[in-house]
Amino acid sequence: MKEILYIEVPTPDVDAVKCWLQQEFEPQLGDKVTTSSGIRLGFSSENSFVSEAQASIANELAIFVWSLQRTTYLKVFRWGERLLPQEQQLLQQLTQAVRDRFPNQYPKPPAIDLSQQSIFDALAEQYPLTVKYFQKMPNGEYDLTRVYWWEQRWREGVQNPQQPRQVVFAGKEQGEQGEVGSRGSGATQNPTLETQNLKFSSNAVQSATQNSADTPSFDLIYVGGALGVIHAAVMAQLGYRVLLLERLPFGKMNREWNISRSEFQSLIDLGLFTPAEFESVIAREYVDGFHKFFDANNPPQAKAPVLHTPTVLNVGLDAEKLLRVCGDKLRSYGGEIWDETEFVHADVDPDRVTVQAKYLPKGDLRTVSGRLLIDAMGTASPIAWQLSGGRAFDSVCPTVGAVIASGFEPGVWDARYGDVLNSHGDLSRGRQLIWELFPAEGEELTFYLFHYHQVHPDNPGSLLEMYEDFFTILPEYRRCDVDQLVWKKPTFGYIPGRFTTGGSDRSLTFDRLLALGDAASLQSPLIFTGFGSLVRNLPRLTRLLDTALKHDLLTARHLNQIRAYQSNVAVTWLFSKGMMVPTGRNLPPERVNAMLNTFFGILAKQPPAVAEAFIKDRVGWLTFNQMALTAAWKNPRLLLWIWDMAGVKDLGRWLGSYLDFTVSAFLSSLIRSWFPSLLNRVQPWLEPRFPAIWLWLLAQSYTVTDGVGRPQQITTRRLEPVEKHTHAPI
């Protein structure tokens, strides 16, 4: 028996596919016989191309279907080893007939009016399991409403990229357009703001001066309280007046975070956490973490053993407790938190940024001004969409899951271990689904289900579809009775990615405005951990921002130097690109797993430090090239697969990234050992006289160290707190 065809049929209704095969499909050749799971095609001597001697069971094709991961798979086996005449034509006919009858579909949530019905009633027909199990969660109705809201916001930004809602206005626009009431009609008149050489009207400056007396003022206004509060607390510790705006009740998280001890050490070195406080927010520390991808259908060169990473993402944090600690510290340093307050818009003037926000419980509008606005609202940020000039993110990881308090049978999982990356099947409706599993306190288990996704207007990526997958296939991944599980809370979100070809190919800033975290597409290309990326780059971002604030270098030109771009991360983006099925394409179901196993099989044979460096964004130029060449030698088809999935345009952009990485690595090898220490020595003389030059040189120092995966040691220069209220008055 020989397998001669394997395809995915992108529908969860396996019975419909089987019925179609048995009743509607008319093969060009062969006698069709119904079986329990599909059909058989027999070729007798009556067929002109089959001799009497061949008329036996060896001249049969078995076609059958089965269901896994809420999709359908089809295979064709030939009983004999000998190729049947016109066999390929028959397979092509079958494949095309399947594609015509069961095309790719990308469902979208229904439009709903929550004033007329509950979120459960609105979604029950399309997402029955999602509604069923969210009803069992403590705040299920509220959380499911948030899932729906987040998906709608994301879809709006992806499907209407040319006219993003304008929420940031220059002083010139304020003077010309008047009050907020006229902003709605003018919101799409200037979707791509110029970030340099802004000219402001005298009317706007005069208006800002008149309103300053009764408007609270701060040095820094953060919008977004998850990743934002971590950075806000560090800046408040340095003596800056900080305000944090958070749309939700502060401290509520829809994700859990994992990190390693070595990475979290940066928060301790910065003085934000003591070692004891760090221990208090650890929910679980693991002995090991596993990476394993389904390879039953892979060729031999694309099979791989389990990759062990005992020091990667091996510390599970209590995210809400961590946020509360950061919030308490922020307040203790004189900062303020306005939670349940939604950002509305910002007016940027030459000497300030004025933010209008809405206090959601009462609907009251609140106005506050500051020296700098920091966007930490994540993927749903309207500021991020506006600053991107209408260009959607290149990629995203739609992620869903849950924290499960109990209900698993003993032995389903050992709490000393984490499942970092795991797939238990091939492509499912155009997505390679990947699981993560991290035990927490007691019996708690945190699950994530995600996939790497190329953003497309027809297929933005759906959280609700993913949740229906999650509740359906969880028992396939880990043995359980879903009805017996005790649900603590859902975990969900969109984690964005941007294919960056150089350190200045995208503006993350406007005058007096800076993007941070997911709003800046700051994440790792493989595991898309925005939290880990922020923590790893926090010393760099903090020191650069501190320098800019001290010298009032807050124009877009200066702020654009405060970024966490890494040339070594940019070049590894191609790995995540190879895991994204282009919208409308039908790939061999095993393709992505084969690519992942090729690469992870190489990592599994390397010293543990190599895998750790790669996943923690620390891979160097030499190691990267060694792994790439080894992968090409081990599986030559890998290059053709990447070419097929990425396309000529993205491969050309990647070559630009590789050239930038090569140049940066060469320059780094020449100067990283002495350039940062030289800057520290000349700082007392250079910084007071030429602050803009100092900021530029400091940014270059990080480019040739952190930017190529060789981070500077924080202890080489501890940041000194600034004197409170010593800055120029607003």
Side-chain angles (χ1 to χ4, degrees), residues 324-350:
R324 290 195 298 270
V325 171
C326 290
D328 291 343
K329 287 181 175 288
L330 173 60
R331 293 186 181 100
S332 71
Y333 298 138
E336 296 184 30
I337 297 175
W338 295 358
D339 64 351
E340 297 185 85
T341 302
E342 183 177 36
F343 169 82
V344 177
H345 67 81
D347 295 302
V348 179
D349 296 304

Side-chain angles (χ1 to χ4, degrees), residues 209-509:
T209 304
Q210 291 172 349
N211 294 332
S212 63
D214 54 0
T215 300
S217 63
F218 296 85
D219 291 309
L220 292 160
I221 302 172
Y222 288 79
V223 186
L227 295 180
V229 71
I230 301 172
H231 196 265
V234 173
M235 298 307 294
Q237 181 190 35
L238 294 178
Y240 292 103
R241 297 163 294 178
V242 175
L243 171 67
L244 178 73
L245 303 180
E246 169 55 55
R247 186 179 185 276
L248 302 175
F250 178 73
K252 182 174 176 59
M253 275 287 291
N254 49 44
R255 280 186 63 85
E256 296 297 325
W257 286 330
N258 286 69
I259 201 165
S260 66
R261 284 185 173 273
S262 63
E263 292 170 303
F264 197 92
Q265 185 64 37
S266 64
L267 296 181
I268 297 175
D269 292 340
L270 284 169
L272 182 61
F273 277 78
T274 66
E277 288 170 333
F278 172 47
E279 298 296 332
S280 73
V281 299
I282 295 177
R284 176 80 67 173
E285 188 166 6
Y286 317 121
V287 174
D288 199 357
F290 307 136
H291 307 250
K292 177 58 185 172
F293 302 97
F294 185 71
D295 59 11
N297 297 303
N298 291 3
Q301 68 272 23
K303 295 180 182 289
V306 174
L307 171 64
H308 296 264
T309 52
T311 56
V312 173
L313 300 178
N314 63 308
V315 177
L317 303 177
D318 184 330
E320 293 188 356
K321 186 174 182 180
L322 183 144
L323 292 184
R324 290 195 298 270
V325 171
C326 290
D328 291 343
K329 287 181 175 288
L330 173 60
R331 293 186 181 100
S332 71
Y333 298 138
E336 296 184 30
I337 297 175
W338 295 358
D339 64 351
E340 297 185 85
T341 302
E342 183 177 36
F343 169 82
V344 177
H345 67 81
D347 295 302
V348 179
D349 296 304
D351 61 345
R352 76 175 67 221
V353 57
T354 303
V355 175
Q356 187 169 83
K358 179 187 291 186
Y359 181 55
L360 296 177
K362 296 183 178 180
D364 298 340
L365 293 178
R366 308 179 71 175
T367 302
V368 62
S369 65
R371 299 175 63 207
L372 182 67
L373 173 65
I374 295 186
D375 174 19
M377 287 186 282
T379 57
S381 167
I383 296 177
W385 285 103
Q386 181 179 338
L387 289 185
S388 69
R391 175 185 165 193
F393 298 104
D394 294 302
S395 59
V396 69
C397 273
T399 303
V400 302
V403 179
I404 300 174
S406 61
F408 286 92
E409 293 293 329
V412 170
W413 192 255
D414 188 329
R416 297 174 299 169
Y417 300 94
D419 218 351
V420 183
L421 295 171
N422 179 289
S423 67
H424 78 278
D426 290 325
L427 292 181
S428 169
R429 305 198 311 284
R431 307 155 306 159
Q432 180 59 66
L433 299 178
I434 299 176
W435 290 91
E436 291 184 327
L437 186 163
F438 295 113
E441 292 183 303
E443 297 181 46
E444 287 183 9
L445 294 176
T446 299
F447 289 83
Y448 297 114
L449 178 66
F450 68 95
H451 66 97
Y452 298 88
H453 183 64
Q454 182 178 351
V455 177
H456 190 283
D458 296 334
N459 181 21
S462 173
L463 294 180
L464 288 167
E465 282 292 316
M466 286 285 288
Y467 257 124
E468 199 68 9
D469 291 331
F470 175 81
F471 293 116
T472 302
I473 69 178
L474 178 59
E476 298 173 2
Y477 169 56
R478 291 297 162 206
R479 185 180 71 254
C480 68
D481 180 348
V482 184
D483 291 325
Q484 298 302 314
L485 300 180
V486 178
W487 306 90
K488 183 177 180 180
K489 68 175 183 178
T491 58
F492 57 89
Y494 286 102
I495 308 175
R498 186 75 174 246
F499 189 176
T500 305
T501 56
S504 59
D505 77 333
R506 177 197 178 199
S507 175
L508 304 176
T509 64

